[in-house]
Short mmCIF file of all heavy atoms in Angstrom, two decimals:
data_model
loop_
_atom_site.label_atom_id
_atom_site.label_comp_id
_atom_site.label_asym_id
_atom_site.label_seq_id
_atom_site.Cartn_x
_atom_site.Cartn_y
_atom_site.Cartn_z
N MET U 1 87.61 122.95 106.51
CA MET U 1 87.85 121.77 105.72
C MET U 1 88.67 120.72 106.48
O MET U 1 88.48 119.52 106.31
CB MET U 1 88.54 122.18 104.42
CG MET U 1 88.52 121.16 103.38
SD MET U 1 86.81 120.82 102.90
CE MET U 1 87.06 119.63 101.68
N LEU U 2 89.58 121.20 107.35
CA LEU U 2 90.39 120.29 108.15
C LEU U 2 89.51 119.47 109.08
O LEU U 2 89.68 118.25 109.19
CB LEU U 2 91.44 121.06 108.96
CG LEU U 2 92.28 120.21 109.92
CD1 LEU U 2 93.14 119.22 109.15
CD2 LEU U 2 93.15 121.10 110.80
N ARG U 3 88.55 120.12 109.74
CA ARG U 3 87.65 119.41 110.66
C ARG U 3 86.90 118.31 109.92
O ARG U 3 86.78 117.19 110.42
CB ARG U 3 86.64 120.38 111.28
CG ARG U 3 87.23 121.28 112.33
CD ARG U 3 86.22 122.26 112.89
NE ARG U 3 85.03 121.54 113.35
CZ ARG U 3 83.82 122.08 113.41
NH1 ARG U 3 83.62 123.31 113.02
NH2 ARG U 3 82.81 121.38 113.86
N LEU U 4 86.40 118.62 108.75
CA LEU U 4 85.66 117.64 107.96
C LEU U 4 86.57 116.48 107.54
O LEU U 4 86.19 115.32 107.65
CB LEU U 4 85.04 118.32 106.73
CG LEU U 4 84.27 117.40 105.78
CD1 LEU U 4 83.08 116.78 106.49
CD2 LEU U 4 83.83 118.17 104.55
N SER U 5 87.76 116.80 107.09
CA SER U 5 88.70 115.76 106.64
C SER U 5 89.09 114.83 107.78
O SER U 5 89.13 113.61 107.62
CB SER U 5 89.95 116.39 106.04
OG SER U 5 89.62 117.15 104.90
N LEU U 6 89.39 115.40 108.94
CA LEU U 6 89.77 114.58 110.08
C LEU U 6 88.61 113.70 110.55
O LEU U 6 88.80 112.52 110.84
CB LEU U 6 90.27 115.45 111.24
CG LEU U 6 91.63 116.10 111.04
CD1 LEU U 6 91.92 117.08 112.18
CD2 LEU U 6 92.73 115.06 110.94
N ALA U 7 87.42 114.26 110.60
CA ALA U 7 86.25 113.48 111.01
C ALA U 7 85.98 112.36 110.01
O ALA U 7 85.68 111.22 110.39
CB ALA U 7 85.03 114.39 111.15
N TRP U 8 86.10 112.67 108.73
CA TRP U 8 85.86 111.68 107.67
C TRP U 8 86.87 110.54 107.79
O TRP U 8 86.49 109.37 107.76
CB TRP U 8 85.95 112.36 106.30
CG TRP U 8 85.85 111.41 105.17
CD1 TRP U 8 84.71 110.83 104.67
CD2 TRP U 8 86.93 110.90 104.38
NE1 TRP U 8 85.03 109.99 103.63
CE2 TRP U 8 86.38 110.01 103.43
CE3 TRP U 8 88.30 111.11 104.38
CZ2 TRP U 8 87.17 109.35 102.50
CZ3 TRP U 8 89.08 110.44 103.45
CH2 TRP U 8 88.50 109.57 102.52
N LEU U 9 88.15 110.87 107.92
CA LEU U 9 89.18 109.84 108.04
C LEU U 9 88.98 109.00 109.31
O LEU U 9 89.16 107.79 109.30
CB LEU U 9 90.57 110.47 108.06
CG LEU U 9 91.15 110.87 106.71
CD1 LEU U 9 92.44 111.67 106.92
CD2 LEU U 9 91.42 109.64 105.86
N HIS U 10 88.62 109.66 110.39
CA HIS U 10 88.40 108.97 111.67
C HIS U 10 87.27 107.95 111.53
O HIS U 10 87.42 106.79 111.94
CB HIS U 10 88.07 110.02 112.74
CG HIS U 10 88.16 109.54 114.14
ND1 HIS U 10 89.35 109.20 114.74
CD2 HIS U 10 87.22 109.36 115.09
CE1 HIS U 10 89.13 108.83 115.98
NE2 HIS U 10 87.84 108.90 116.23
N LEU U 11 86.17 108.36 110.94
CA LEU U 11 85.02 107.46 110.77
C LEU U 11 85.29 106.39 109.72
O LEU U 11 84.86 105.24 109.87
CB LEU U 11 83.76 108.25 110.44
CG LEU U 11 83.24 109.12 111.59
CD1 LEU U 11 82.10 110.01 111.10
CD2 LEU U 11 82.82 108.28 112.77
N LEU U 12 85.99 106.73 108.66
CA LEU U 12 86.34 105.74 107.64
C LEU U 12 87.23 104.66 108.25
O LEU U 12 87.02 103.47 108.00
CB LEU U 12 87.04 106.43 106.47
CG LEU U 12 87.41 105.53 105.29
CD1 LEU U 12 86.15 104.95 104.64
CD2 LEU U 12 88.22 106.32 104.27
N ALA U 13 88.20 105.07 109.06
CA ALA U 13 89.08 104.10 109.71
C ALA U 13 88.28 103.18 110.64
O ALA U 13 88.58 101.99 110.74
CB ALA U 13 90.17 104.83 110.49
N LEU U 14 87.27 103.71 111.27
CA LEU U 14 86.41 102.90 112.13
C LEU U 14 85.75 101.79 111.32
O LEU U 14 85.79 100.62 111.70
CB LEU U 14 85.35 103.77 112.80
CG LEU U 14 84.22 103.02 113.51
CD1 LEU U 14 84.74 102.35 114.76
CD2 LEU U 14 83.10 103.96 113.83
N GLY U 15 85.15 102.15 110.20
CA GLY U 15 84.49 101.15 109.35
C GLY U 15 85.45 100.12 108.80
O GLY U 15 85.17 98.91 108.83
N VAL U 16 86.58 100.58 108.31
CA VAL U 16 87.59 99.66 107.76
C VAL U 16 88.11 98.75 108.87
O VAL U 16 88.23 97.54 108.69
CB VAL U 16 88.75 100.44 107.10
CG1 VAL U 16 89.93 99.53 106.78
CG2 VAL U 16 88.26 101.15 105.84
N GLY U 17 88.37 99.31 110.03
CA GLY U 17 88.92 98.54 111.14
C GLY U 17 87.99 97.46 111.64
O GLY U 17 88.41 96.31 111.83
N ILE U 18 86.74 97.79 111.84
CA ILE U 18 85.81 96.78 112.36
C ILE U 18 85.57 95.68 111.32
O ILE U 18 85.49 94.50 111.66
CB ILE U 18 84.50 97.40 112.89
CG1 ILE U 18 83.84 96.42 113.87
CG2 ILE U 18 83.57 97.80 111.78
CD1 ILE U 18 82.80 97.05 114.77
N ALA U 19 85.52 96.05 110.05
CA ALA U 19 85.37 95.03 109.00
C ALA U 19 86.61 94.14 108.94
O ALA U 19 86.51 92.92 108.78
CB ALA U 19 85.12 95.70 107.64
N ALA U 20 87.77 94.74 109.11
CA ALA U 20 89.02 93.98 109.04
C ALA U 20 89.17 93.02 110.21
O ALA U 20 89.53 91.85 110.02
CB ALA U 20 90.21 94.94 108.99
N VAL U 21 88.87 93.47 111.41
CA VAL U 21 89.05 92.59 112.57
C VAL U 21 88.00 91.47 112.54
O VAL U 21 88.27 90.34 112.94
CB VAL U 21 89.07 93.37 113.90
CG1 VAL U 21 87.70 93.81 114.34
CG2 VAL U 21 89.75 92.56 114.99
N TRP U 22 86.80 91.78 112.03
CA TRP U 22 85.78 90.73 111.87
C TRP U 22 86.24 89.71 110.82
O TRP U 22 86.09 88.50 111.00
CB TRP U 22 84.45 91.34 111.47
CG TRP U 22 83.33 90.34 111.47
CD1 TRP U 22 82.95 89.52 110.44
CD2 TRP U 22 82.48 90.01 112.56
NE1 TRP U 22 81.90 88.72 110.83
CE2 TRP U 22 81.59 89.00 112.12
CE3 TRP U 22 82.36 90.48 113.87
CZ2 TRP U 22 80.61 88.46 112.94
CZ3 TRP U 22 81.39 89.94 114.68
CH2 TRP U 22 80.53 88.94 114.21
N SER U 23 86.81 90.19 109.73
CA SER U 23 87.32 89.32 108.68
C SER U 23 88.47 88.45 109.19
O SER U 23 88.57 87.27 108.85
CB SER U 23 87.76 90.16 107.48
OG SER U 23 88.29 89.35 106.47
N ARG U 24 89.33 89.04 110.00
CA ARG U 24 90.43 88.27 110.59
C ARG U 24 89.86 87.13 111.44
O ARG U 24 90.31 85.99 111.36
CB ARG U 24 91.32 89.18 111.44
CG ARG U 24 92.47 88.45 112.10
CD ARG U 24 93.36 89.37 112.89
NE ARG U 24 92.78 89.71 114.19
CZ ARG U 24 93.39 90.48 115.09
NH1 ARG U 24 94.57 91.01 114.85
NH2 ARG U 24 92.82 90.74 116.24
N ALA U 25 88.85 87.44 112.23
CA ALA U 25 88.22 86.42 113.08
C ALA U 25 87.59 85.32 112.24
O ALA U 25 87.78 84.14 112.51
CB ALA U 25 87.17 87.08 113.98
N ALA U 26 86.86 85.73 111.21
CA ALA U 26 86.19 84.74 110.35
C ALA U 26 87.21 83.85 109.64
O ALA U 26 86.98 82.65 109.49
CB ALA U 26 85.29 85.45 109.34
N SER U 27 88.32 84.43 109.23
CA SER U 27 89.36 83.65 108.54
C SER U 27 89.98 82.60 109.44
O SER U 27 90.39 81.54 108.98
CB SER U 27 90.47 84.58 108.03
OG SER U 27 89.98 85.47 107.07
N LEU U 28 90.07 82.90 110.73
CA LEU U 28 90.73 81.99 111.66
C LEU U 28 89.77 81.09 112.42
O LEU U 28 90.19 80.28 113.23
CB LEU U 28 91.60 82.79 112.64
CG LEU U 28 92.77 83.54 111.99
CD1 LEU U 28 93.48 84.41 113.01
CD2 LEU U 28 93.74 82.57 111.33
N SER U 29 88.47 81.25 112.18
CA SER U 29 87.49 80.37 112.81
C SER U 29 87.50 79.03 112.10
O SER U 29 87.67 78.96 110.89
CB SER U 29 86.09 80.98 112.73
OG SER U 29 86.04 82.16 113.49
N GLY U 30 87.33 77.97 112.84
CA GLY U 30 87.36 76.65 112.21
C GLY U 30 88.80 76.17 112.06
O GLY U 30 89.72 76.66 112.71
N LYS U 31 88.98 75.20 111.18
CA LYS U 31 90.31 74.62 110.96
C LYS U 31 91.04 75.46 109.90
O LYS U 31 90.66 75.48 108.73
CB LYS U 31 90.18 73.18 110.47
CG LYS U 31 91.48 72.45 110.40
CD LYS U 31 91.27 70.99 110.06
CE LYS U 31 92.61 70.29 109.96
NZ LYS U 31 92.45 68.90 109.55
N PRO U 32 92.11 76.18 110.31
CA PRO U 32 92.79 77.06 109.36
C PRO U 32 93.64 76.30 108.34
O PRO U 32 94.22 75.28 108.65
CB PRO U 32 93.67 77.93 110.25
CG PRO U 32 93.92 77.10 111.45
CD PRO U 32 92.71 76.23 111.64
N ASP U 33 93.66 76.83 107.12
CA ASP U 33 94.58 76.35 106.10
C ASP U 33 95.43 77.54 105.67
O ASP U 33 95.26 78.65 106.18
CB ASP U 33 93.85 75.70 104.93
CG ASP U 33 92.88 76.64 104.23
OD1 ASP U 33 92.97 77.87 104.43
OD2 ASP U 33 92.03 76.15 103.47
N VAL U 34 96.35 77.34 104.75
CA VAL U 34 97.25 78.41 104.33
C VAL U 34 96.48 79.57 103.72
O VAL U 34 96.80 80.74 103.97
CB VAL U 34 98.34 77.87 103.36
CG1 VAL U 34 99.15 78.99 102.77
CG2 VAL U 34 99.25 76.89 104.10
N ASN U 35 95.44 79.29 102.93
CA ASN U 35 94.65 80.37 102.33
C ASN U 35 93.93 81.19 103.40
O ASN U 35 93.87 82.42 103.32
CB ASN U 35 93.66 79.82 101.32
CG ASN U 35 94.35 79.31 100.07
OD1 ASN U 35 95.40 79.82 99.69
ND2 ASN U 35 93.77 78.30 99.45
N ALA U 36 93.39 80.51 104.40
CA ALA U 36 92.72 81.21 105.50
C ALA U 36 93.72 82.08 106.26
O ALA U 36 93.42 83.22 106.65
CB ALA U 36 92.06 80.22 106.45
N LEU U 37 94.91 81.55 106.43
CA LEU U 37 95.96 82.29 107.11
C LEU U 37 96.34 83.54 106.32
O LEU U 37 96.49 84.63 106.89
CB LEU U 37 97.18 81.38 107.28
CG LEU U 37 98.10 81.62 108.46
CD1 LEU U 37 97.35 81.75 109.76
CD2 LEU U 37 99.13 80.51 108.53
N ARG U 38 96.45 83.40 105.01
CA ARG U 38 96.78 84.57 104.16
C ARG U 38 95.66 85.62 104.23
O ARG U 38 95.93 86.82 104.27
CB ARG U 38 97.04 84.12 102.73
CG ARG U 38 98.38 83.43 102.60
CD ARG U 38 98.82 83.27 101.15
NE ARG U 38 100.16 82.74 101.12
CZ ARG U 38 100.47 81.52 100.68
NH1 ARG U 38 99.53 80.72 100.21
NH2 ARG U 38 101.72 81.11 100.69
#
């Protein structure tokens, strides 16, 4: 069960991370405002 849990968390973090860094990029593309910054 430990192997499964670690693999699941590892892959879940990958998905969350790539979506987050893409979202950060999209938020800062163009002319930023306070909402984009948040």
Side-chain angles (χ1 to χ4, degrees):
M1 196 63 179
L2 176 65
R3 286 178 54 207
L4 178 62
S5 298
L6 288 173
W8 174 78
L9 280 171
H10 195 68
L11 291 173
L12 183 64
L14 169 70
V16 168
I18 201 162
V21 76
W22 188 273
S23 178
R24 179 178 79 178
S27 297
L28 295 174
S29 295
K31 188 174 179 183
D33 59 16
V34 172
N35 290 330
L37 209 49
R38 286 194 174 112

